[in-house]
Amino acid sequence: LAKTTQPISMDSYEGQEVNITCSHNNIATNDYITWYQQFPSQGPRFIIQGYKTKVTNEVASLFIPADRKSSTLSLPRVSLSDTAVYYCLVGVISGFQKLVFGTGTRLLVSP
Amino acid sequence: DVKVTQSSRYLVKRTGEKVFLECVQDMDHENMFWYRQDPGLGLRLIYFSYDVKMKEKGDIPEGYSVSREKKERFSLILESASTNQTSMYLCASSPTDFTEAFFGQGTRLTVV
């Protein structure tokens, strides 16, 4: 499994764009990058997944450079409700794998 | 609406008791997982299962066992609860292609 490294915490203000970067230097050819969001006292929920270049959905965008050794989750115009822990996972999406979470990035959005 | 249901939201048990945490999913998923979450340590994988009657150890299996007799149900067992097993326990399920994992609401277990 590719090891991931994320900042422990980030602070932002309402209305700003937030970019959270995840490093995964030993990502394998078949690995995908997946991000989850977790609110206090809840289980994580899937946000976005990608393999290369850029993926966008109604919640976020995921930017993956050509070498795929890092990825950036972009949250446009955050609100107080985006305060949560964000996890970056790297692994294959077929076959057998452990689905390992790290410690994540704690994002605090202030008024 | 897809759902992963954990049997209890809060649970208080005594040291030495045998504790069962139940998890049921209604999505016909092959994969199921048990995690514990403690402040500052993120989610740590205890056990997982990729098929009925199949189980694999995660990163912290000591003191725990699991059972998966039916596809929709994955049970976590604490054979003899100890105070250091006080934690939030989260169950998850995912399809074979791992495109998205779904989590339950968690069980906050306190061992006294």
Side-chain angles (χ1 to χ4, degrees):
Chain A
L1 291 172
K3 178 178 169 58
T4 60
T5 304
Q6 305 174 232
I8 294 174
S9 64
M10 294 181 69
D11 295 317
S12 183
Y13 293 96
E14 282 189 294
Q16 289 188 336
E17 178 184 74
V18 171
N19 295 308
I20 305 173
T21 296
C22 178
S23 296
H24 29 79
N25 291 320
N26 60 341
I27 188 170
T29 303
N30 295 330
D31 284 344
Y32 279 68
I33 299 153
T34 310
W35 286 79
Y36 285 80
Q37 174 190 55
Q38 185 181 23
F39 297 115
S41 301
Q42 295 186 24
R45 67 168 187 155
F46 173 94
I47 303 176
I48 197 165
Q49 185 179 76
Y51 183 78
K52 62 180 179 181
T53 62
K54 176 183 175 182
V55 180
T56 297
N57 62 23
E58 65 278 4
V59 177
S61 294
L62 178 60
F63 297 93
I64 306 168
D67 67 4
R68 302 197 332 119
K69 293 185 182 298
S70 67
S71 59
T72 299
L73 175 72
S74 182
L75 305 172
R77 296 178 300 280
V78 294
S79 64
L80 297 178
S81 62
D82 292 314
T83 293
V85 178
Y86 293 83
Y87 298 92
C88 165
L89 281 71
V90 172
V92 295
I93 65 166
S94 62
F96 184 62
Q97 68 163 324
K98 290 169 67 173
L99 199 62
V100 175
F101 288 72
T103 54
T105 298
R106 186 172 298 276
L107 172 66
L108 175 62
V109 180
S110 300
Chain B
D1 192 21
V2 297
K3 191 172 287 186
V4 178
T5 303
Q6 295 183 227
S7 53
S8 303
R9 193 82 170 92
Y10 300 94
L11 211 52
V12 179
K13 296 291 182 180
R14 294 192 179 278
T15 302
E17 275 193 79
K18 189 170 186 176
V19 181
F20 293 85
L21 302 183
E22 306 286 347
C23 176
V24 178
Q25 51 99 359
D26 63 2
M27 296 163 283
D28 200 36
H29 285 166
E30 290 78 12
N31 304 311
M32 296 189 76
F33 308 83
W34 273 108
Y35 298 85
R36 65 176 284 177
Q37 186 168 32
D38 302 287
L41 297 178
L43 278 84
R44 293 183 290 168
L45 181 63
I46 305 171
Y47 267 96
F48 61 109
S49 169
Y50 54 92
D51 202 351
V52 176
K53 297 190 185 295
M54 305 301 289
K55 60 184 179 183
E56 292 289 335
K57 293 180 180 179
D59 298 323
I60 52 164
E62 297 78 19
Y64 303 94
S65 62
V66 290
S67 173
R68 193 167 181 199
E69 296 296 319
K70 295 184 177 181
K71 190 176 185 180
E72 67 271 18
R73 186 179 298 269
F74 193 34
S75 303
L76 180 69
I77 304 156
L78 287 67
E79 295 291 340
S80 178
S82 64
T83 54
N84 63 12
Q85 291 178 310
T86 291
S87 185
M88 170 69 86
Y89 290 86
L90 288 156
C91 174
S93 73
S94 74
T96 303
D97 63 6
F98 286 98
T99 48
E100 181 174 351
F102 295 85
F103 281 79
Q105 284 294 91
T107 295
R108 186 166 296 280
L109 172 68
T110 302
V111 182
V112 298

